[in-house]
Structure formats: structure tokens, C-alpha cells
């Protein structure tokens, strides 16, 4: 059964853009180009949201800076996934007091996942008077209207409605010219017991395939070479639409767009990754042979308590099937260490799973208690210090395997996409292999945006080093 979908009609976005034009008149009136700073925390979804904020701000006439002392508008786009992320945000928001004193009239906005939590919005209301505007992810589409009301009424505005919808037509200002994020869906239905995301981002909402494909076409026409399809669980794309297009079909439709470019995607939930997806990845020549498949734990007991809906055996079987279709598949993962009541035995299972899969890269996190999630009330007899010991052990394993995998590239010639400059003299360019491995190169910057062959000459845990082949 498709869920009922709320769509924010094109006219509503047009009305927001008309407000941008109005603000443009207002801020351009004193003759000097105003500047805005958008500072982003968290995942790629937040990066993609910040591109929308910048899109609106550009239509209002703002230029961009990363110096808060130069900015007339400061927007902090926040993350709530772990306590550490929230502490960093709060520290930086507090520090904005200095910039605001030096720049009277500066407007400070805090948006994103952290402030979608009522207790955090309250905390900002009470303890951070420097903040003029607070809005959650569901209100982003009406940022111009909210900003205008701060400008006009000279009082604080708080908007953290829970109205979940899909908005099309928000202007975007992308950061790079080579790589692009493309959101295909929003929200998450999975409610892993440790995770705050479903509470702050709402339920899964897919964009219509025709809207996604049209955006992909426009990106290819604009010269982008590396397109990453984004969603918290891209494998459940389309389930809410009832339009007969699933994620694998969507990849195929994008693969059919003429041009030389790569399709990437993240994140894939192991419970929904299908053989059809792996087959499609193998058959679509533009689809990168990389999958980010967060396992979270190697222990069946913990996976159950995490509400992940797969067990170790199913996960390992999935990896085996994927590798049968793509022997060169790069597999990366996320792992949580120290989930409530994770024992030595549970952790040993995680270590042995990592040895079995041999991940190309692992993103490891110490469990962080999130208010309102089921895991927050689970008894947990272990101390932070005990968890740190496991974390260090896992990091060591991750580094060893990634170093070994990188060494296997030495002496080989691989095709990479050159994506930018490193700012370093010896290896001045950075690039990525099809599987997403980082390769540092020496070469002319005119190579940026090109697919080239490089011979890998050296490597370490984090990167490969290569020479351009003529
Ligand atoms: N939707 C993605 C991940 C979103 S959050 C997925 O399901 O894979 C990114 C990662 O942060 C998660 O994979 C998880 O490893 C980690 N994470 C989420 N909540 C956490 C918490 N409370 N403490 C520690 N790590 C957490
Ligand atoms: Fe969080 Fe789980 Fe959803 Fe990922 S799938 S965003 S970890 S609830
Ligand atoms: Fe953080 Fe929100 Fe992403 S909580 S990880 S920014 S979805």
C-alpha cells in the first residue's frame, strides 16, 4: 500500500523564490554585496540540504564566506547522530557571540537534525540568545520566508514543525564541478534502536523517478562526472510511490543517460539489498563497483537488540553474492562499538566478521546514547574506558586490512576520476578509483574532471599514490 504523500506544490516554492527576490532588493539597497556563511555538520544528506540553503541565499544576492566575522547571515546546519556532533555545534554556536558583537545586525540561524529535537530547540531558546532563527529539516523549503520574518520583525523565530513532504524546485548551489550529491529520498523507516535519524528526519519519502532522472540529466549536461544518489536507505527507494520503479530500476534509468560519468549511492541497508541490485550494478557500466553496507555489529544477539532485521549469516551471504557479481567490488561499512550490554563475546564476533569480509574501509563509532531512542533505556554495565579499548582494537584491525588492501593495488594501472587539488606540492591532485579509493597524483590541474589511467606506485592505510600514464 503506498502511503499518502504530501507534496509541496511548485507554486509554494515559487512563492519562496519571490521572497528571495524581495530580500535581494532589501539587502542590495546599501550597495555592498552581503555575505553568508553556511556551516554544515553530519552526513551527505545535510551537505545536500546546505546546497539548497546556498541556492536560496544566492538568489537573495548573498556571496559566500567561511569567516563568521565577514558574514551578514550565518547558518549552522546541524547533526544529532552522536553526542559529540551536538557538543561541537553548541560550542561553535556559543562562540558566534563574538562575531555578532563585532557585526551588529548579523543574523544567526541554526537548522538541521539537532534542532528538530524539542529539548535542543528549547536549550537554544533558553541558553543561546545569539541565535535568531531555528528551523528543522522539514521547514527548510521555507527558509526565505523564515529569514524575512526575522529581518522584518526583529524578533526570534522558531519553526520545528513535523510536516513531512517532498519539495521539488528548490534552487541548488553545488560546491564542486566534478562530484554531485543527488537526493533520491528523505527520511527513514527503520528505527534501529540506537538511532535518532527517523525521529528527526521523519518517514521515508521518495522523489518521483522522473524528477530524479531529470536532475541527473541536468548534472551530466553541466559536466558532472560523479553522481552520488543519496538516501538513508536507498534500497527501499520507491516503496512509498507505487510506481513500479525500485532502486535497481532507477540506477538503470540513470545509466541510460548518454555521457561519461559514474553513478554512486549511499547508504544501503543490508536487510533490503537484493540480488537484483547487485546484478544491476554489475550490468550498468556507469555504476561504480562500491557498496557502503553498514553492518553495525557481527553479533546476532546485538543485531537483534539493534533491530537491524538481518543476522551475521545473512549479511555474509549477501557479501558473497555481491562479490560473485562483481569480484572487484569495494565494500565499506559502519560499526558501532559498545552498544548497551555488548560483551567480550559479542565484540569478538564483530572482529571475526571484519576479518571474514575484509572491508576496504570501516567507519567506526563508539555508541552514543540518544534521548528518546529505545537503546537509551537499555541497561549498560560497561564503562566508556572499556568501550575505548574495543574501539582501539577495531581501529587497529580496520587500518591493517585497509593497508593490506591498498598494497594489493601497487604496480597496477587503474582508471581514476581526478576530482580536485590537494594543496600539497608533491602530490598536487586527488582522484578516486571506480570503487572510491583515494589516489594522490602529480599532474596538471587541467586533468580535474577527467577520467585517466594511473599506475599505483605507493600506498598507506588511507590512500594510494600514483603516476599518470600517457
Ligand atoms: N542510514 C545509514 C546511516 C545513518 S547514521 C545506515 O543505516 O547505514 C551513520 C552511522 O552512524 C550509522 O551507520 C551508525 O554506525 C552510526 N550511528 C548512528 N547512531 C549512532 C549512535 N547513537 N551512536 C553511535 N553511532 C551511531
Ligand atoms: Fe538510523 Fe537505522 Fe535509519 Fe540508518 S537505517 S538512519 S542507522 S534508523
Ligand atoms: Fe546527522 Fe541528520 Fe545526517 S542526524 S547523520 S545530519 S540525517
Amino acid at each position: 500500500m503506498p502511503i499518502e504523500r504530501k507534496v509541496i506544490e511548485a507554486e509554494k516554492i515559487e512563492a519562496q523564490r519571490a521572497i528571495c527576490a524581495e530580500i535581494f532588493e532589501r539587502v542590495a539597497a546599501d550597495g555592498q554585496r552581503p555575505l553568508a556563511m553556511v556551516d554544515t555538520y553530519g552526513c551527505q544528506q545535510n551537505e545536500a540540504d546546505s546546497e539548497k540553503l546556498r541556492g536560496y541565499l544566492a538568489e537573495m544576492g548573498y556571496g559566500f564566506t567561511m569567516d563568521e566575522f565577514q558574514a551578514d547571515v550565518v547558518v549552522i546546519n546541524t547533526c544529532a547522530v552522536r553526542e559529540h556532533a551536538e557538543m561541537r555545534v553548541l560550542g561553535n554556536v556559543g562562540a558566534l557571540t563574538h562575531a555578532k558583537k563585532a557585526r551588529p545586525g548579523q543574523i544567526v540561524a541554526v537548522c538541521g537534525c539537532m534542532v528538530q529535537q524539542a529539548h535542543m530547540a528549547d536549550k537554544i531558546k533558553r541558553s543561546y540568545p545569539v541565535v535568531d532563527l531555528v528551523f528543522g529539516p522539514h521547514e527548510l523549503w521555507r527558509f526565505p520566508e523564515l529569514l524575512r520574518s526575522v529581518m522584518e520583525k526583529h524578533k526570534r523565530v522558531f519553526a520545528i514543525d513535523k510536516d513531512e513532504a517532498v519539495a521539488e524546485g528548490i534552487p541548488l548551489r553545488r560546491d564542486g564541478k566534478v562530484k554531485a550529491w543527488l537526493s533520491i529520498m528523505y527520511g527513514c523507516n527503520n528505527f534501529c534502536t540506537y538511532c535518532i535519524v527517523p525521529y528527526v528526519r521523519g518517514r521515508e519519502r521518495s522523489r518521483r523517478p522522473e524528477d530524479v532522472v531529470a536532475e541527473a540529466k541536468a548534472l551530466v549536461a553541466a559536466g558532472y562526472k560523479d553522481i552520488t544518489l543519496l538516501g538513508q536507505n536507498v534500497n527501499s527507494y520507491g516503496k512509498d510511490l507505487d510506481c513500479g520503479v525500485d532502486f535497481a530500476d532507477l540506477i538503470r534509468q540513470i545509466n541510460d543517460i548518454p555521457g561519461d560519468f559514474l553513478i554512486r549511492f549511499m547508504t544501503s541497508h543490508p536487510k533490503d539489498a537484493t540480488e537484483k541490485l547487485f546484478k544491476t550494478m554489475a550490468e550498468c557500466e556507469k555504476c561504480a563497483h562500491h557498496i557502503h553496507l553498514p553492518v553495525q555489529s557481527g553479533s546476532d544477539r546485538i543485531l537483534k537488540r539493534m533491530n537491524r532485521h538481518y543476522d551475521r549469516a545473512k549479511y555474509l551471504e549477501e557479501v558473497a553474492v555481491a562479490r560473485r557479481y562483481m569480484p572487484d567490488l569495494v565494500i565499506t561499512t559502519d560499526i558501532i562499538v559498545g552498544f548497551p550490554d555488548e560483551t567480550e563475546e559479542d565484540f569478538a564476533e564483530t572482529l571475526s566478521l571484519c576479518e571474514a569480509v575484509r572491508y576496504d574501509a570501516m567507519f567506526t563509532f563508539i555508541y552514543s546514547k540518544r534521548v528518546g531512542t529505545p537503546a537509551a533505556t537499555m541497561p549498560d554495565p560497561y564503562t566508556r574506558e572499556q568501550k575505548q579499548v574495543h574501539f582501539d582494537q577495531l581501529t587497529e584491525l580496520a587500518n591493517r586490512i585497509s593497508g593490506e588492501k591498498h598494497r594489493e593495488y601497487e604496480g597496477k594501472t587503474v582508471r581514476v576520476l581526478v576530482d580536485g587539488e590537494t594543496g600539497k606540492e608533491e602530490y598536487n591532485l586527488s582522484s578516486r578509483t571506480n570503487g572510491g579509493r583515494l589516489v594522490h597524483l602529480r599532474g596538471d590541474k587541467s586533468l580535474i574532471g577527467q577520467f585517466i589511467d594511473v599506475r599505483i606506485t605507493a600506498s598507506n592505510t588511507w590512500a594510494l599514490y600514483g603516476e599518470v600514464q600517457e
Side-chain angles (χ1 to χ4, degrees):
M1 259 301 274
I3 58 163
E4 201 183 311
R5 251 159 69 88
K6 278 194 65 176
V7 176
I8 293 166
E9 305 82 25
E11 304 86 77
K12 286 197 178 156
I13 301 299
E14 280 312 313
Q16 296 297 318
R17 297 178 83 165
I19 298 174
C20 291
E22 207 184 288
I23 294 178
F24 184 93
E25 295 299 322
R26 183 196 306 255
V27 295
D30 63 6
Q32 254 198 343
R33 187 164 199 209
L35 292 177
M37 166 174 141
V38 180
D39 194 9
T40 313
Y41 296 77
C43 64
Q44 292 80 5
Q45 262 87 4
N46 252 20
E47 298 283 349
D49 281 353
S50 286
E51 294 180 343
K52 293 180 183 164
L53 293 165
R54 283 198 203 95
Y56 272 143
L57 285 161
E59 290 201 350
M60 295 173 200
Y62 286 87
F64 295 95
T65 174
M66 280 315 284
D67 177 359
E68 68 253 37
F69 286 89
Q70 300 294 322
D72 302 289
V73 172
V74 176
V75 187
I76 312 278
N77 192 5
T78 64
C79 171
V81 83
R82 281 170 291 275
E83 191 184 8
H84 178 71
E86 293 189 334
M87 297 319 282
R88 267 178 62 216
V89 165
L90 290 176
N92 290 347
V93 170
L96 285 173
T97 318
H98 305 293
K100 195 161 184 164
K101 270 213 185 92
R103 222 179 158 79
Q106 182 183 63
I107 294 176
V108 174
V110 181
C111 64
C113 297
M114 185 183 93
V115 294
Q116 186 64 41
Q117 307 168 98
H119 71 277
M120 276 297 174
D122 279 351
K123 188 174 185 133
I124 289 184
K125 202 177 247 172
R126 275 185 284 110
S127 313
Y128 294 83
V130 67
V131 178
D132 305 291
L133 169 61
V134 169
F135 59 100
H138 307 300
E139 304 283 349
L140 186 144
W141 67 274
R142 57 189 199 102
F143 170 55
E145 172 192 338
L146 297 169
L147 187 64
R148 183 182 62 180
S149 80
V150 173
M151 285 172 166
E152 276 176 356
K153 299 192 180 124
H154 300 287
K155 62 175 196 197
R156 305 173 86 194
V157 173
F158 286 75
I160 50 164
D161 209 355
K162 279 219 151 166
D163 211 7
E164 296 168 13
V166 171
E168 295 293 345
I170 299 179
L172 273 175
R173 204 187 130 104
R174 289 192 158 88
D175 273 344
K177 293 265 168 275
V178 182
K179 299 200 270 192
W181 307 122
L182 204 182
S183 295
I184 63 165
M185 60 195 296
Y186 309 99
C188 179
N189 286 357
N190 293 315
F191 290 95
C192 303
T193 53
Y194 50 82
C195 185
I196 197 71
V197 171
Y199 302 89
V200 292
R201 288 265 172 182
R203 295 299 71 71
E204 280 171 6
R205 281 108 54 212
S206 303
R207 292 178 67 194
R208 292 181 310 173
E210 53 271 36
D211 292 330
V212 174
V213 172
E215 190 169 340
K217 273 190 187 144
L219 288 170
V220 173
Y224 285 94
K225 300 286 182 215
D226 182 314
I227 299 174
T228 303
L229 310 178
L230 288 183
Q232 292 297 347
N233 176 14
V234 288
N235 299 329
S236 59
Y237 173 82
K239 285 186 181 161
D240 57 316
L241 288 179
D242 199 25
C243 66
V245 177
D246 68 11
F247 182 55
D249 302 328
L250 185 71
I251 290 184
R252 222 174 259 288
Q253 288 190 17
I254 297 174
N255 191 68
D256 286 343
I257 300 171
D260 197 10
F261 65 96
L262 274 174
I263 305 167
R264 301 185 187 280
F265 56 86
M266 69 189 310
T267 296
S268 293
H269 194 304
K271 80 175 166 60
D272 298 314
T274 57
E275 183 163 353
K276 178 178 174 188
L277 171 67
F278 302 134
K279 187 166 184 286
T280 304
M281 288 174 73
E283 286 173 0
C284 290
E285 72 288 357
K286 290 168 194 160
C287 190
H289 286 192
H290 170 215
I291 192 159
H292 184 61
L293 200 61
V295 69
Q296 311 299 358
S297 168
S299 151
D300 285 345
R301 191 179 76 93
I302 296 294
L303 286 171
K304 208 174 193 113
R305 288 159 60 86
M306 286 177 161
N307 192 32
R308 290 290 288 179
H309 295 284
Y310 56 84
D311 60 15
R312 179 189 173 94
K314 178 175 187 276
Y315 185 91
L316 288 172
E317 173 58 19
E318 215 167 82
V319 167
V321 173
R323 284 190 168 141
R324 251 198 317 276
Y325 281 101
M326 294 164 284
D328 62 343
L329 183 67
V330 166
I331 306 181
T332 55
T333 202
D334 293 346
I335 293 181
I336 296 178
V337 172
F339 183 81
D341 197 32
E342 183 185 68
T343 62
E344 280 299 333
E345 291 71 33
D346 294 317
F347 179 67
E349 294 273 289
T350 296
L351 289 178
S352 74
L353 179 127
C354 295
E355 290 278 13
V357 177
R358 290 182 57 76
Y359 291 106
D360 293 81
M362 290 160 53
F363 300 88
T364 50
F365 310 101
I366 291 186
Y367 169 74
S368 171
K369 195 186 260 196
R370 304 288 66 211
V371 176
T373 62
T377 53
M378 294 182 188
D380 188 7
Y382 298 100
T383 63
R384 168 79 203 202
E385 289 67 34
Q386 286 168 312
K387 296 181 184 193
Q388 187 69 45
V389 172
H390 285 170
F391 182 81
D392 294 344
Q393 250 176 295
L394 189 62
T395 308
E396 207 181 299
L397 177 73
N399 290 347
R400 174 172 64 70
I401 296 174
S402 147
E404 286 169 5
K405 290 219 140 189
H406 279 171
R407 249 190 319 280
E408 290 166 16
Y409 285 85
E410 289 182 23
K412 293 193 177 144
T413 296
V414 293
R415 193 166 154 77
V416 298
L417 171 63
V418 185
D419 56 17
E421 291 182 273
T422 60
K424 303 225 169 69
E425 209 171 296
E426 206 190 343
Y427 288 98
N428 59 323
L429 297 177
S430 70
S431 66
R432 295 270 170 184
T433 65
N434 175 297
R437 300 292 77 211
L438 175 64
V439 185
H440 292 298
L441 300 172
R442 237 185 318 268
D444 192 80
K445 66 178 186 198
S446 62
L447 292 174
I448 294 172
Q450 291 189 35
F451 289 99
I452 56 168
D453 286 334
V454 296
R455 204 173 75 84
I456 305 301
T457 52
S459 73
N460 58 29
T461 309
W462 299 278
L464 306 168
Y465 296 83
E467 272 170 12
V468 180
Q469 301 292 284
E470 297 310 325

